[in-house]
Amino acid sequence: MTKKTVFVLSLFLVLNILNLNAQEVFKLVPETSTMKITGTSSLHDWEMKVTRFMCNVTLEKKKESVIVRSVLLTVESSGILSESSLMDRKAHDALKAKKYPEIKFTLTQSEDALAVNGRFASDMDGELAMSGVSKKIDVAVNVEFQGDNRLLVSGAKTFDMTEMGIEPPTAMLGALKTGKSITITFSLNFIRQQE
């Protein structure tokens, strides 16, 4: 066997081994994805929709498990909207949207998850950056493979706005006060990027 043949066979073997643990990149499909923020106030519960956001996810598939390798979620602060222009203005002011136009979540760590019938749950540690403040948070997500090329990621995260340096908005000369706690609920559809 010549050196060239040995090199070609070795290269083929290495590529096959790498392919067993291939990383796949999935890109958000915004048209079929939803994200909303809910909270309470002294008068009534409230809801705002996130209308402008993007996200990329990289997964590594192993024989019986999957690990989320990277997540980058970017939300436009001014794209968080309600049915009230007054509420939108108050929320954007609280988020300091003009100075900090983007909210970002970046994955820092996740663990192997056992995939059963194309579904798995993952606890993701990451960094949330908004309104000039960065904080480490953990987010539990449910992931479902929908065929070979599509992915559905869903979950919810509740946290205290004041921990991110956000003063809960008030209105009507202080008669309406929002609660400190908010919940972000999401259902995100992704499509695999072709090589």
Side-chain angles (χ1 to χ4, degrees), residues 33-68:
S33 299
T34 60
M35 186 180 297
K36 66 180 181 179
I37 304 168
T38 55
T40 61
S41 76
S42 52
L43 294 182
H44 53 72
D45 293 348
W46 55 267
E47 176 181 311
M48 299 187 81
K49 292 182 180 179
V50 181
T51 63
R52 294 192 297 273
F53 56 104
M54 56 186 173
C55 185
N56 286 335
V57 173
T58 302
L59 300 178
E60 182 179 332
K61 293 181 183 177
K62 299 184 179 180
K63 283 186 177 180
E64 296 179 355
S65 64
V66 179
I67 187 167
V68 181

Side-chain angles (χ1 to χ4, degrees), residues 4-5 17 20-21 24 57 77 83 89 94 117 124 141 146-147 163 166-168 172 174 178 190:
K4 185 176 180 181
T5 304
I17 290 170
L20 290 176
N21 294 330
E24 298 180 352
V57 173
S77 301
E83 295 180 355
R89 191 165 59 251
N117 296 325
M124 302 188 303
V141 298
Q146 299 181 325
E163 292 179 1
I166 299 170
E167 193 66 32
M172 298 186 301
T178 56
F190 293 85

Side-chain angles (χ1 to χ4, degrees), residues 65-189:
S65 64
V66 179
I67 187 167
V68 181
R69 286 292 180 198
S70 70
V71 176
L72 177 58
L73 168 70
T74 304
V75 171
E76 287 186 36
S77 301
S78 60
I80 299 173
L81 301 172
S82 68
E83 295 180 355
S84 164
S85 58
L86 174 62
M87 184 173 180
D88 294 348
R89 191 165 59 251
K90 293 283 186 179
H92 297 163
D93 287 346
L95 289 169
K96 305 171 190 165
K98 288 184 179 178
K99 188 174 182 180
Y100 303 103
E102 292 183 337
I103 298 167
K104 289 190 175 185
F105 173 82
T106 307
L107 180 73
T108 56
Q109 183 179 350
S110 68
E111 298 179 354
D112 282 28
L114 182 65
V116 179
N117 296 325
R119 299 181 182 192
F120 69 95
S122 179
D123 289 321
M124 302 188 303
D125 294 329
E127 184 172 274
L128 178 65
M130 60 193 302
S131 307
V133 175
S134 293
K135 182 177 174 60
K136 291 181 179 179
I137 66 168
D138 62 280
V139 182
V141 298
N142 295 306
V143 182
E144 179 183 344
F145 290 102
Q146 299 181 325
D148 293 333
N149 297 318
R150 294 193 175 266
L151 198 67
L152 173 64
V153 180
S154 59
K157 176 64 181 177
T158 300
F159 63 90
D160 186 330
M161 284 189 284
T162 61
E163 292 179 1
M164 296 301 299
I166 299 170
E167 193 66 32
T170 62
M172 298 186 301
L173 302 174
L176 187 150
K177 297 179 180 179
T178 56
K180 293 180 181 180
S181 182
I182 61 171
T183 299
I184 300 172
T185 307
F186 51 90
S187 178
L188 309 177
N189 285 290

